[in-house]
Amino acid sequence: MCVHNNQTIEVNGTLIRFQHLKQNTDPAAPTLVFLHEGLGCIEFWKDVPSLLAQETGLNILSYDRQGHGQSDPLSSPRTVEYLHHEAQLVLPLLLEKLGISRPILIGHSDGGSIALLYAAHHPTRAIVTEAAHIFVEEVTLEGIKHAVAAYPKIKDKLYKYHGEKTDTLFYAWADTWLTPEFIGWNIEKEVNNIQCPSLIIQGIDDEYATQEQVTKIVSLIGESAISVMIENCGHTPHIQAKEATLKQMLTFIRKVL
């Protein structure tokens, strides 16, 4: 098994930090690509990538998006199209540079929405989403307002991962979602194009979404999509309900393979 930690690669003029675990030499085997949440980075996945690598024997890719973790800082203000930019420009370029095609995407929150947008336009073996959004709900905006009010208390925790980029990243996330232009953000039309096997996971107690997100995603993708609502779990299933979430992911990935 060959593990490359904390490499950087230039993508669209930006230095991106990534970790690439290579253990499978079969060119037909898909790579599991992890897409972190809106305030996240590689570390926010904890040991989930390594556990899935161990159990499936697949190669793993995790990376910090621009503005996050150890990647370059944001170079311009975010637009309401920031998730489209990542899914349709950055991620395809990154995968191409690393020689990865038809990935299995595993995305949490913003990362889940990016996974859906990528799969709507690019060949994808399968997707797993946790707490993905495809439209804006009042509960989402309320959750973000609570996060803004709590920011002074959580800033140090985020600083540990994002350093001097922390303030810029936090307000890029919060202000973009709370801008009046973002209210109309909706990717249902694109999700309707997805044809690959899809596992759509959400915590029943998710503080940023209702079950309508999951219901809608599954109805748009159709029979190749499975929904899983996890009990006693909020916005972060792979941490708050790790065992149940990993079990669902593994069962799904093995079926896909």
Side-chain angles (χ1 to χ4, degrees):
M1 185 186 291
C2 176
V3 185
H4 301 283
N5 284 327
N6 294 331
Q7 298 181 87
T8 56
I9 191 168
E10 185 270 320
V11 181
N12 196 38
T14 299
L15 268 184
I16 296 293
R17 170 221 186 190
F18 71 99
Q19 293 181 357
H20 201 181
L21 184 152
K22 296 180 182 180
Q23 60 178 351
N24 192 313
T25 53
D26 178 1
T31 296
L32 298 178
V33 177
F34 288 82
L35 305 166
H36 61 70
E37 64 196 89
L39 295 175
C41 60
I42 290 171
E43 283 77 13
F44 278 49
W45 285 108
K46 308 287 187 188
D47 61 350
V48 170
S50 58
L51 289 171
L52 287 177
Q54 198 179 308
E55 291 291 333
T56 64
L58 295 174
N59 297 334
I60 303 288
L61 173 71
S62 302
Y63 73 102
D64 294 339
R65 295 195 291 276
Q66 184 180 6
H68 298 253
Q70 294 172 37
S71 288
D72 275 353
L74 293 170
S75 48
S76 57
R78 275 219 178 130
T79 72
V80 295
E81 295 293 308
Y82 81 102
L83 296 166
H84 285 79
H85 174 80
E86 189 68 31
Q88 292 169 14
L89 178 69
V90 181
L91 181 56
L93 283 173
L94 174 66
L95 296 181
E96 188 184 346
K97 283 199 167 195
L98 294 174
I100 296 169
S101 59
R102 296 192 74 235
I104 294 178
L105 301 176
I106 300 179
H108 174 223
S109 195
D110 269 15
S113 302
I114 291 165
L116 292 166
L117 283 165
Y118 179 93
H121 297 280
H122 298 89
T124 308
R125 185 74 177 268
I127 55 173
V128 177
T129 69
E130 288 183 67
H133 291 91
I134 62 168
F135 53 86
V136 180
E137 295 182 283
E138 191 54 44
V139 66
T140 315
L141 304 180
E142 287 306 313
I144 292 167
K145 286 172 190 171
H146 285 307
V148 171
Y151 182 57
K153 292 178 188 170
I154 61 172
K155 180 178 173 174
D156 286 350
K157 199 169 153 188
L158 291 170
Y159 190 91
K160 179 182 162 188
Y161 301 103
H162 309 297
E164 296 300 325
K165 300 190 290 286
T166 305
D167 282 350
T168 305
L169 174 64
F170 182 84
Y171 288 107
W173 169 73
D175 292 350
T176 303
W177 275 82
L178 295 174
T179 188
E181 290 80 19
F182 205 77
I183 295 287
W185 178 85
N186 185 304
I187 60 170
E188 290 178 43
K189 196 174 172 186
E190 282 149 306
V191 172
N192 197 32
N193 293 332
I194 298 172
Q195 295 178 340
C196 66
S198 306
L199 173 62
I200 313 301
I201 300 171
Q202 189 169 299
I204 285 176
D205 306 318
D206 193 324
E207 56 274 39
Y208 289 96
T210 70
Q211 195 168 337
E212 185 59 28
Q213 298 283 349
V214 171
T215 306
K216 198 74 182 172
I217 294 168
V218 170
S219 71
L220 288 165
I221 297 174
E223 58 189 29
S224 63
I226 306 161
S227 68
V228 174
M229 296 298 297
I230 298 186
E231 290 181 5
N232 305 312
C233 178
H235 189 61
T236 316
H238 66 272
I239 291 174
Q240 295 164 329
K242 182 179 171 182
E243 205 176 305
T245 303
L246 271 172
K247 189 180 174 187
Q248 291 290 344
M249 287 181 177
L250 268 173
T251 303
F252 173 75
I253 291 166
R254 283 174 177 148
K255 205 175 281 184
V256 166
L257 295 175

